Amino acid sequence: QVQLVESGGRLVQAGGSLKLSCAASGRMDGVYAMGWFRQAPGKEREFVAAINWRYGSTYYTDSVTGRFTISRDNAKNTVALRMNSLKPEDTAVYYCAALFAKIPPPPDYYRTSRRYDYWGQGTQVTVSS
């Protein structure tokens, strides 16, 4: 079992910055990647960013590339999402998720929510215009 707890969400003005954190606890051996997803009211949950837990390679959805940065601290079992130049359309509940795999999964797994095994409770990010 793995527990994920997100923090850092709040109200911020457009153009501002915010850093989300995700603290993981439990059995993290076998985790292959950590991801951030978001869900806006009335919309489906969408992929935001992911990071390979061992090698640190990163993946982003097009709409956040160049504005968001995902990072991890393996020793502390934490993953962060630094968000710059925030826009009102970034408003959503942001979720942290853990993907476990015994062998390297196909690259598209990083972007697919159903491939992730554990989820946090989410943290609200609201960007005002």
Side-chain angles (χ1 to χ4, degrees), residues 10-29:
R10 61 175 175 87
L11 173 65
V12 63
Q13 288 189 335
S17 297
L18 204 57
K19 183 178 180 180
L20 304 182
S21 297
C22 174
S25 60
R27 293 203 61 176
M28 289 293 286
D29 52 304

Side-chain angles (χ1 to χ4, degrees), residues 114-127:
R114 68 178 184 274
R115 299 300 184 185
Y116 284 75
D117 301 283
Y118 297 96
W119 292 83
Q121 81 291 347
T123 186
Q124 176 71 48
V125 172
T126 303
V127 183

